[in-house]
Amino acid sequence: HDAVDAKYSIPYFESRGHTQAAEYLKLATKTSDPKEYQGAGKMDSMRKKVGQVVTDILSSMSAEDRKENIMVIDSDLGGSTAFNTIQKTHPEIYVQSGVMERGNFAAAAGFGMHANKQGVFSTFAAFLEMLCSEITMARLNHSNVFSHFSHSGVDDMADNTCHFGLNHYFADNGLEDGYDTKLYFPADCNQAKALVEATFPLSETNKGMRFVFTTRSKTPNVLNEDGSERYGEGYTFVPGKDEIIREGSSGYIIAFGDALYRSLDAVITLKAQGIDVGLINKPTLNVVDKEMMEKIASSPMCLVVEPIGKKTGMGSKFGTWLMETETAQNGGKLCKFGSVSTYREGCGGLWEQAYHQGYDSNSLQEKVKSMLGK
């Protein structure tokens, strides 16, 4: 259940007479995004960072505590979700269970039914859709499960539409008084590290099901206006809190994941043109930060930008959240609202997928100008 390296697949095709396929694999076809992004630092892999940080946390536990209270279940994708780091370091708690996500998640949830125990699970975000019933049962059983869904969104998605990770909100499918469920999507490796450190260890305020989403692609570290790292030294992740990346008097873009650094480039460019739009990062996808929502609702404009599906993503919920603000309930004037999300199939391409869906910097600049009548 993984890619086959060209050095093995080429002779395989040649031995079976598939010479055209073999010749195609010999072509130099690798390309990369030609754009240089403003407000962007070092590029690195969030999915690998999540795997390493979980491993480090497990290594800080006593061997007895780790063996007694943690079980990691892999669906043959540990090399891609970076949970193979756990397998190499702590094989005694790692179960390689094969391509059977529903059974594997259910097993992790079963282990995590005890208040002090935690199941740990990982796969691609595209496969979350098959887990809805198991997630519901886990929630009813008050299970503690930490899940890492890599390959979220569409960026750099080599397997095209069938592997697009679009329906993250399917995981938040319970009642409002149900056992705790949080959906997290960090913006860069620094935030991913802080997020996992804050949400992996079990506590009275941190339990239940926690879903961490990361991209297949590398993402740059988000920078402050002075060039320092926004999520560098001194940053603490607070679940449920939105974060201002840039202030703006003309409205805000709300983004997360790889959409954030693209939105930041758009914001910096627009500000240079005299359009003072701001940027907010929403790393907790399914919790309304009421204070921030009031700020957004009373601004001239808000644009939700996300790499996940238009029909089921944040944009499909954000209008309701705006209508529930005190600003709206008191009859105040609400901001203009728009959303940019994944809305069409993407057959072919890697970095081109973000451009194809229209959440690249230039497309976002045009969308903001249109909303503001510029």
Side-chain angles (χ1 to χ4, degrees):
H1 193 200
D2 209 340
V4 179
D5 193 284
K7 66 181 179 182
Y8 301 114
S9 53
I10 289 173
Y12 176 88
F13 282 131
E14 288 176 337
S15 68
R16 286 159 176 78
H18 300 299
T19 54
Q20 286 184 307
E23 290 303 314
Y24 183 80
L25 290 176
K26 295 175 183 178
L27 296 175
T29 57
K30 190 172 183 179
T31 62
S32 60
D33 188 350
K35 181 172 178 56
E36 293 186 9
Y37 289 89
Q38 303 170 89
K42 176 187 175 183
M43 298 283 289
D44 209 345
S45 171
M46 286 196 291
R47 57 189 168 111
K48 291 182 179 179
K49 179 62 69 173
V50 169
Q52 185 58 59
V53 176
V54 171
T55 302
D56 292 343
I57 294 172
L58 293 172
S59 297
S60 70
M61 300 169 64
S62 69
E64 181 181 5
D65 185 17
R66 190 168 55 239
K67 178 68 174 175
E68 179 70 19
N69 294 317
I70 301 289
M71 177 179 286
V72 184
I73 301 182
D74 172 45
S75 301
D76 269 9
L77 288 171
S80 295
T81 65
F83 270 24
N84 60 343
T85 307
I86 304 172
Q87 182 182 22
K88 293 173 184 175
T89 310
H90 302 294
E92 73 282 1
I93 61 169
Y94 195 94
V95 180
Q96 197 160 3
S97 188
V99 187
M100 42 185 285
E101 272 82 358
R102 294 185 67 181
N104 291 343
F105 184 88
F111 182 85
M113 284 173 61
H114 190 281
N116 296 324
K117 295 181 184 294
Q118 176 162 235
V120 182
F121 173 83
S122 75
T123 189
F124 291 175
F127 307 146
L128 185 152
E129 299 163 22
M130 67 179 73
L131 301 177
C132 291
S133 178
E134 283 71 21
I135 291 170
T136 295
M137 293 300 105
R139 186 180 294 109
L140 292 175
N141 285 315
H142 288 197
S143 294
N144 300 309
V145 185
F146 182 93
S147 297
H148 176 210
F149 287 86
S150 69
H151 294 57
S152 294
V154 301
D155 189 30
D156 210 35
M157 205 63 72
D159 294 305
N160 306 313
T161 309
C162 68
H163 273 53
F164 283 1
L166 304 178
N167 294 308
H168 296 16
Y169 283 89
F170 281 20
D172 188 24
N173 60 358
L175 301 172
E176 289 190 355
D177 65 349
Y179 200 55
D180 202 17
T181 303
K182 293 288 196 306
L183 313 183
Y184 300 117
F185 202 151
D188 66 17
C189 282
N190 287 333
Q191 185 170 49
K193 179 178 184 293
L195 188 156
V196 174
E197 289 175 340
T199 62
F200 184 88
L202 284 180
S203 69
E204 278 301 311
T205 58
N206 186 64
K207 56 186 178 181
M209 283 179 289
R210 287 135 294 143
F211 297 85
V212 177
F213 301 98
T214 60
T215 56
R216 178 180 188 264
S217 60
K218 292 183 177 181
T219 54
N221 287 338
V222 176
L223 303 181
N224 293 313
E225 293 181 71
D226 62 4
S228 61
E229 293 183 339
R230 174 64 176 82
Y231 298 111
E233 187 175 351
Y235 169 73
T236 299
F237 178 77
V238 180
K241 296 298 293 182
D242 300 346
E243 302 163 339
I244 294 177
I245 305 300
R246 297 288 191 275
E247 278 287 6
S249 59
S250 297
Y252 292 92
I253 293 176
I254 298 90
F256 55 86
D258 69 290
L260 191 82
Y261 77 86
R262 303 176 198 279
S263 298
L264 179 54
D265 182 87
V267 164
I268 293 172
T269 303
L270 289 167
K271 284 181 179 291
Q273 298 172 6
I275 302 173
D276 187 30
V277 66
L279 177 62
I280 294 170
N281 182 22
K282 189 171 182 61
T284 307
L285 304 186
N286 66 327
V287 176
V288 176
D289 183 337
K290 293 184 177 180
E291 181 180 356
M292 195 69 79
M293 283 302 298
E294 295 296 338
K295 182 183 184 72
I296 295 167
S298 59
S299 73
M301 175 218 78
C302 78
L303 175 64
V304 173
V305 180
E306 55 187 335
I308 62 178
K310 191 172 187 67
K311 288 187 175 182
T312 62
M314 185 183 294
S316 69
K317 299 175 177 290
F318 212 85
T320 300
W321 295 345
L322 287 171
M323 292 298 292
E324 291 174 342
T325 60
E326 290 185 15
T327 301
Q329 296 299 311
N330 294 331
K333 183 180 179 180
L334 280 178
C335 59
K336 289 184 178 179
F337 171 72
S339 68
V340 175
S341 316
T342 296
Y343 70 100
R344 58 178 173 174
E345 292 192 2
C347 296
L350 294 169
W351 58 268
E352 297 94 340
Q353 298 285 6
Y355 290 81
H356 182 62
Q357 301 297 341
Y359 72 99
D360 60 285
S361 177
N362 288 344
S363 296
L364 297 180
Q365 293 168 45
E366 292 304 312
K367 178 68 173 180
V368 169
K369 289 177 181 178
S370 174
M371 292 180 69
L372 294 175
K374 301 292 185 179

